[in-house]
Every structure is written in C-alpha cells, then in structure tokens.
Amino acid sequence: IVDAEWKIIYDKLRSIVDSGAKIVLSKLPIGDLATQFFADREIFCAGRVEESDLDRVAKATGGVVQTSLNDLNDKVLGVCGSFEERQVGSERFNVFTGCPQTKTTTIVLRGGAEQFIAETERSLHDALMIVKRTVEHSSVVGGGGAIEMELSKYLREFSETVDTKQQLI
C-alpha cells in the first residue's frame, strides 16, 4: 500500500514537470519531497499563497488556477517574460514581469512607523484616483485655492486701471 501511495505522489509530480511548468504556486503547503523534486528540475514552487494572489497572477499571465492535475496542458499554463524572487527588507516577494495580459502593478511601501505607512498609502491612493479621474474625464474642476487665486489676479489687473487712491480700497 505504501509503495502505491509513493507511486501516486511521484506520478502527480511528474505530470507537473511534463506539462512544462517552470513555476508552481499552491494555496496549500508544499511538502519537502515535492519542493526537492521541483528544485532538482529547476522549477520554482511556493506554498501557502493567498487565493487573491493566485487569481491576480493567473489573470496577469493568462493561466488558469487548477484544482486537480487531470486537465494539465499548455492551455492552462500562464506566461511571463521573467520571474525572480526578491528580498526587500525581511520580506520575500515573487516578481513576475513581462506578463502579456497584465493591467496592474504592485507598489511596495516600506517605512519606520505603521502610521507613516498608512498615511503614505492614503496619499498614494488619492494620487492614483486623481490620475484615473483625469484619464476618464477631460473636464477639470478647480480646487486647492484656484478660485481665490483667479479672483486675486482679476482684482490686481483691475486695480492697475484705476489711477486714483480708490484702487487701495
């Protein structure tokens, strides 16, 4: 029975290798046996990947999240130009670049205090929403003192046309 179980495990691992996949991501943990099996064949694997991250990677690369190995073929595999694992501070990030269907990017914010990061995130979000609004709509509404500045300019120009001390009032 034990030999049959090992055969099933190795058959599943071989089917992943035979599919041509170079990166394997899983919601579930990937055991030491599978990790070593993939490493020996120069395949990167990561377990305990959040479902939202799996969906984002699948969408960007054109891949399909699989629940079994039965239908593993070229049509469900995604494509990216390059992949690397980067360490930023104490965190490790998997970076996919050159994805053909990507419409997003990731910005990593780092800083000393949580309050500083939260404020930076809000400011960045505000800036991105302004750019989004500007791209979507060509009309602009003045703000940030624009009306007061325009009124001051008009009054200054008008005061230059008055020759008497009346312009001071």
Side-chain angles (χ1 to χ4, degrees), residues 28-144:
L28 301 174
I30 297 177
D32 293 340
L33 174 74
T35 301
Q36 189 60 51
F37 187 87
F38 290 139
D40 291 344
R41 288 151 183 83
E42 297 182 4
I43 296 175
F44 174 85
C45 66
R48 294 187 178 102
V49 178
E50 292 185 25
E51 188 168 359
S52 61
D53 290 340
L54 284 175
D55 292 339
R56 189 178 307 121
V57 169
K59 189 173 183 180
T61 61
V64 179
V65 176
Q66 297 295 292
T67 56
S68 75
L69 299 176
N70 295 336
D71 295 327
L72 198 57
N73 57 52
D74 290 345
K75 294 177 184 174
V76 298
L77 296 179
V79 178
C80 74
S82 68
F83 168 81
E84 66 178 304
E85 189 176 29
R86 288 189 197 158
Q87 183 152 350
V88 180
S90 62
E91 302 268 343
R92 295 179 75 88
F93 294 94
N94 298 326
V95 181
F96 296 82
T97 55
C99 299
Q101 298 181 11
T102 188
K103 295 182 181 180
T104 62
T105 189
T106 301
I107 300 173
V108 179
L109 300 177
R110 295 185 63 219
E114 198 62 39
Q115 183 179 3
F116 173 75
I117 295 295
E119 183 61 34
T120 304
E121 183 179 0
R122 281 191 292 274
S123 297
L124 184 60
H125 181 266
D126 290 347
L128 291 172
M129 290 303 105
I130 289 168
V131 171
K132 178 184 174 208
R133 172 84 166 86
T134 304
V135 169
E136 289 175 351
H137 305 283
S138 60
S139 60
V140 177
V141 176

